[in-house]
Amino acid sequence: MTVVRVAEQTGFRVPQGIGEAAARVAELVAALPEPAERTPAQRAEIAAAHDVARTERARFLDRHAEAVYDELTDSRSVFLRLPELVEAAADACPGLVPTAAQLASERANRQAGKEGYEIDQGIFLRAVLRSPVAGAHLLDAMLRPTPRALELLPEFRTTGRLELRSVRLERRDGVAHLTMCRQDCLNAEDEAQVEDMETAVDIALLDPDVSVGVLRGGKMTHPRYRGRRVFSAGINLKSLHAGDISLVGFLLRREIGYIHKLVRGVLVDEAASWRSPTIEKPWVGAVDTFAIGGGAQLLLVLDHVAAASDAYFSLPAAREGIVPGAGNFRLGRALGPRGSRQIILQGRRVFATEPDARFLFDEAVEPEELDAAAARAADRLSAPAVVPNRRMLRVAEDPPEDFRRYMAEFALQQALRLYGEDVINKVGRFAGRAG
């Protein structure tokens, strides 16, 4: 699709103030020192210029986000994934979102040295996701299988095995075993792992010889846990410090990409089946040692979670300074409002053998019994009536409209948190001491 300029082709015009405000920001950025070297007065000056530009963008998008989205997607006949959508918006409506050159410049810097252009992507995506029409279409676009998965699917169908950099997928007796294999960093996720996870989830869902999936962490080479299985340490804070965790490529793609697919399945051609446009399957989690942050978020969407008796669950959002994905959306529904506030706001850990763990783990077994527990759960969940009943439970527990509205606000709040001074200081200290 050739993207045309919204201002020239639609019944409205992009306000001149957006371009002028964006140009003022660009002038200041060019004239001022790097962000970490600015004086308090210089920081206040650039912050005020950003605020003017962002106010203009937000006002425009409050009125016209749906029309802009329709223009970018040819009246929703084209499905653009998140990176394609923001790139198209930059081409079609200059000043509305950062340019490719601005983002490339940002990616060359550590988090502390960035200007924060991703906040403008957050403003744009919040407006798109707020729209019941545009937001639903974008979520559907992200449910479609990735080109990489479609390319690798035939090989997996033949061999039953796929080795990616950070993920291993194996099919055994109708069960897809998805193992996270970042041995050096305790399965702490970065953008490459999110890419691998979405590829593996797509393939497991698309393979007709798979009826259920099992998600587990592999054995570690990290000195502290050498030889032990670990489920996940959450976001890779070293990568965040280095500036390699992006809003679109990681924080949003993870939530409305592979995790969303674990919940709702993969979207195939809507005309291909009158029964359902998605292929969904039940998922089992086997938790060794801990599920921290993003790992804990995963457990909230799985259909059965078996945990080793020495494992724990933790969402250390306050310590890290960011929003724990859709954990705020789902944890209260599982544990209740008091427990979710204790975990998210105060950093409480829940161990597999304590009473509240029954709301997070379906069973706690001795570590050596975890393989058998996961196999039993997978066998139970392979029954023919599981998928339709799972679908109906999801309609009641995780309504798509509620999720869309949550993700709309998440898009902006997480963008703001990425550039919070407290976050930058915390990840800098972590990167300095982590080995």
Side-chain angles (χ1 to χ4, degrees):
M1 178 187 68
T2 301
V3 178
V4 296
R5 301 175 78 84
V6 171
E8 298 169 358
Q9 298 294 323
T10 60
F12 58 83
R13 294 191 64 82
V14 178
Q16 184 177 353
I18 287 182
E20 293 174 348
R24 173 59 179 159
V25 170
E27 290 171 3
L28 283 174
V29 169
L32 293 174
E34 294 297 314
E37 300 172 2
R38 292 170 187 166
T39 67
Q42 289 170 333
R43 291 178 185 176
E45 184 180 19
I46 189 68
H50 274 302
D51 190 58
V52 169
R54 287 163 181 163
T55 299
E56 291 285 343
R57 293 183 184 107
R59 286 174 177 168
F60 171 74
L61 288 165
D62 282 345
R63 298 189 299 273
H64 300 301
E66 196 169 296
V68 171
Y69 186 84
D70 276 357
E71 186 67 34
L72 300 177
T73 60
D74 195 11
S75 298
R76 302 186 303 281
S77 65
V78 175
F79 288 87
L80 298 180
R81 289 176 61 83
L82 284 167
E84 300 166 335
L85 180 65
V86 294
E87 181 180 351
D91 289 341
C93 197
L96 194 61
V97 294
T99 65
Q102 287 172 325
L103 291 173
S105 176
E106 291 277 80
R107 290 304 293 263
N109 295 325
R110 290 186 172 186
Q111 196 67 19
K114 294 186 178 184
E115 191 61 47
Y117 290 118
E118 288 177 299
I119 295 171
D120 302 300
Q121 290 182 323
I123 292 170
F124 171 70
L125 292 169
R126 177 182 64 170
V128 169
L129 287 164
R130 275 179 170 176
S131 163
V133 176
H137 189 269
L138 176 56
L139 292 178
D140 280 352
M142 292 298 294
L143 283 181
R144 288 173 168 255
T146 65
R148 184 188 187 205
L150 293 173
E151 179 183 349
L152 294 173
L153 178 61
E155 177 186 350
F156 182 78
R157 297 246 12 237
T158 300
T159 65
R161 186 176 179 87
L162 178 67
E163 290 277 356
L164 302 175
R165 185 176 76 92
S166 55
V167 167
R168 181 173 66 251
L169 185 67
E170 300 171 282
R171 184 185 63 238
R172 299 195 300 269
D173 299 323
V175 178
H177 294 266
L178 199 169
T179 306
M180 297 175 284
C181 300
R182 291 296 304 276
Q183 297 96 331
D184 59 326
C185 62
L186 308 179
N187 288 325
E189 283 188 294
D190 55 17
E191 294 198 10
Q193 184 161 342
V194 167
E195 167 82 17
D196 286 348
M197 288 292 287
E198 185 164 14
T199 300
V201 168
D202 278 353
I203 290 173
L205 290 168
L206 291 169
D207 185 353
D209 294 327
V210 167
S211 59
V212 60
V214 174
L215 181 58
R216 194 174 187 183
K219 291 184 178 180
M220 299 292 107
T221 58
H222 187 284
R224 189 178 301 176
Y225 296 92
R226 191 180 306 276
R228 293 179 60 185
R229 284 183 180 267
V230 166
F231 190 76
S232 174
I235 190 172
N236 191 315
L237 294 177
K238 280 188 176 181
S239 294
L240 178 56
H241 170 69
D244 294 330
I245 296 293
S246 70
L247 176 70
V248 168
F250 181 92
L251 293 162
L252 284 171
R253 177 182 178 176
R254 182 176 185 272
E255 297 301 325
I256 64 177
Y258 87 82
I259 297 181
H260 196 205
K261 289 172 175 175
L262 290 173
V263 177
R264 304 190 195 283
V266 65
L267 182 68
V268 294
D269 185 359
E270 293 90 336
S273 174
W274 52 266
R275 291 180 175 86
S276 173
T278 59
I279 299 171
E280 63 178 276
K281 294 171 184 177
W283 290 86
V284 175
V287 181
D288 299 272
T289 312
F290 51 68
I292 298 174
Q297 296 162 31
L298 283 175
L299 303 188
L300 299 174
V301 304
L302 303 179
D303 300 288
H304 184 95
V305 179
S309 57
D310 58 352
Y312 67 86
F313 173 107
S314 172
L315 279 173
R319 180 165 61 87
E320 294 169 353
I322 58 177
V323 180
N328 306 59
F329 175 68
R330 296 187 173 111
L331 183 60
R333 301 176 185 215
L335 190 59
R338 303 299 350 139
S340 63
R341 280 167 170 77
Q342 292 166 12
I343 290 171
I344 293 172
L345 303 182
Q346 301 179 52
R348 175 191 170 192
R349 294 180 177 181
V350 178
F351 290 85
T353 54
E354 65 179 273
D356 277 351
R358 69 188 187 278
F359 299 109
L360 304 170
F361 306 122
D362 294 280
E363 56 181 321
V365 299
E366 293 305 309
E368 63 272 16
E369 297 173 8
L370 196 53
D371 281 318
R376 289 192 300 270
D379 183 61
R380 290 193 301 270
L381 291 174
S382 64
V386 166
V387 170
N389 278 285
R390 179 188 194 269
R391 183 173 290 127
M392 299 313 297
L393 285 169
R394 172 170 48 75
V395 168
E397 297 171 353
D398 200 329
E401 283 301 291
D402 290 356
F403 178 71
R404 176 186 60 76
R405 286 190 290 266
Y406 177 90
M407 291 309 303
E409 192 60 28
F410 174 82
L412 179 57
Q413 295 306 319
Q414 190 72 302
L416 292 168
R417 285 283 74 216
L418 273 181
Y419 295 94
E421 186 175 352
D422 60 316
V423 173
I424 290 170
N425 290 337
K426 286 173 184 176
V427 299
R429 291 195 296 270
F430 176 88
R433 69 172 184 267

